[in-house]
Amino acid sequence: MTNPWLDPAHGQRFPEGATEANPSRAEQIEVLVTLAGAHRVSDPDAMDLLPPRRILDAGCGRGFVAERLLAIHPQATLVGFDVSPEAAEEAQRRLGGRARIVCASFEEDWPGALKEKDFDLALCVQAIHHVPHVLKRLTFQRFHDVLRPGGLYLQSDPVALGDPAVFPCVKALWNRLRSLHGFPPLPENYLQGDAEEELERRGDLLAGLDKQLLWLKEAGFANVDCFWKHGNRAIFGGFRLP
Ligand SMILES: C[S@@+](CC[C@H](N)C(=O)[O-])C[C@H]1O[C@@H](n2cnc3c(N)ncnc32)[C@H](O)[C@@H]1O
């Protein structure tokens, strides 16, 4: 399947449609920038909040999330990458001298700038669900390897529900929240299983949250958890052990 993000027109449509497709995107970005300072120390009961100095933004797109992070953390510098040359160029223009943005893909060996192994924070926002599961697992390993000890990986993504047996129950609960609290309709791709052919047909290769948490642990991450979830949108990650 050709990656639809290589079509500049597809990428240009993203900013205007981002909130429509993902109504809680602004909240997700606030959660991400708040968690961005978390740093694991040797004592597992203690958690320092240290402003990140070196950030990796994988699938950074046009640099919207990176811009917010750099504004909040004035001491930070950022390395970002995206498969779309247009998006990478726009991100570089937007972020200026504190960022170095390269055109690169999850699907290839990462260039040197992405392998510096001293990142305090590795971030992947709404990007890795575009690649096949086997590549997600390889990329989780890469994120782990480029973080310095104690560093944090954070992912914000839509996730698949997985088990069709729970769909009716989820629908009923969601519709209750909808009628009582004005929730939006269930996102169209919420009730996707993990059948890769079907997901690939739609262009979104969603994996279940439970699977991804397991893959993060297998990649060596500790304190793996889901930090925020609303419908099929989740923010999760883990720490590289100090
Ligand atoms: C939904 S956008 C999110 C962009 C940005 N993270 C944000 O939240 O504003 C998904 C991004 O993933 C990028 N992407 C898709 N497939 C990729 C791949 N194989 N390697 C690197 N980036 C990819 C797209 O070009 C696009 O910029």
Side-chain angles (χ1 to χ4, degrees):
M1 187 186 71
T2 314
N3 190 333
W5 292 93
L6 289 170
D7 172 7
H10 184 82
Q12 272 152 15
R13 282 194 295 273
F14 171 68
E16 65 203 47
T19 307
E20 194 184 324
N22 175 16
S24 48
R25 177 166 157 95
E27 186 181 339
Q28 289 152 30
I29 293 176
E30 288 319 299
V31 172
L32 287 168
V33 297
T34 305
L35 293 174
H39 173 82
R40 187 47 223 265
V41 290
S42 309
D43 175 358
D45 293 330
M47 183 73 72
D48 275 358
L49 278 177
L50 296 176
R53 282 171 293 114
R54 296 262 305 140
I55 300 171
L56 172 66
D57 187 355
C60 62
R62 285 152 205 271
F64 300 119
V65 180
E67 184 176 36
R68 179 101 179 91
L69 268 171
L70 290 179
I72 290 203
H73 298 293
Q75 75 299 326
T77 59
L78 183 139
V79 176
F81 75 93
D82 199 280
V83 73
S84 153
E86 291 79 15
E89 275 167 30
E90 186 177 323
Q92 187 66 76
R93 274 197 302 278
R94 181 183 307 280
L95 302 170
R98 285 170 61 202
R100 178 163 175 217
I101 309 296
V102 295
C103 183
S105 172
F106 292 113
E107 316 209 10
E108 295 151 10
D109 196 19
W110 288 1
L114 306 176
K115 294 183 183 167
E116 286 169 12
K117 297 184 185 287
D118 64 347
F119 293 101
D120 303 296
L121 172 70
L123 197 68
C124 191
V125 183
Q126 285 178 246
I128 207 169
H129 69 273
H130 297 304
V131 306
H133 292 359
V134 64
L135 197 54
K136 291 185 181 76
R137 299 177 76 170
L138 175 68
T139 308
F140 288 169
Q141 189 66 61
R142 286 176 169 160
F143 285 135
H144 180 267
D145 293 349
V146 298
L147 280 169
R148 68 183 177 77
L152 173 64
Y153 170 64
L154 282 177
Q155 179 174 335
S156 177
D157 247 337
V159 293
L161 210 59
D163 179 1
V166 305
F167 289 1
C169 171
V170 170
K171 270 190 186 160
L173 287 173
W174 189 278
N175 286 335
R176 185 166 166 74
L177 289 169
R178 203 177 166 203
S179 63
L180 292 177
H181 299 295
F183 270 38
L186 262 182
E188 198 187 315
N189 58 3
Y190 185 36
L191 297 178
Q192 285 182 353
D194 282 346
E196 285 219 32
E197 320 74 59
E198 171 59 11
L199 296 177
E200 194 157 334
R201 196 181 60 75
R202 299 172 191 221
D204 281 340
L205 310 181
L206 307 191
L209 178 59
D210 51 352
K211 267 192 187 168
Q212 295 191 75
L213 297 181
L214 179 68
W215 296 340
L216 286 174
K217 288 180 199 163
E218 285 173 359
F221 283 102
N223 304 102
V224 170
D225 211 342
C226 175
F227 307 116
W228 177 98
K229 189 169 184 298
H230 183 171
N232 71 331
R233 300 280 168 172
I235 295 177
F236 53 98
F239 291 86
R240 178 168 179 159
L241 276 176

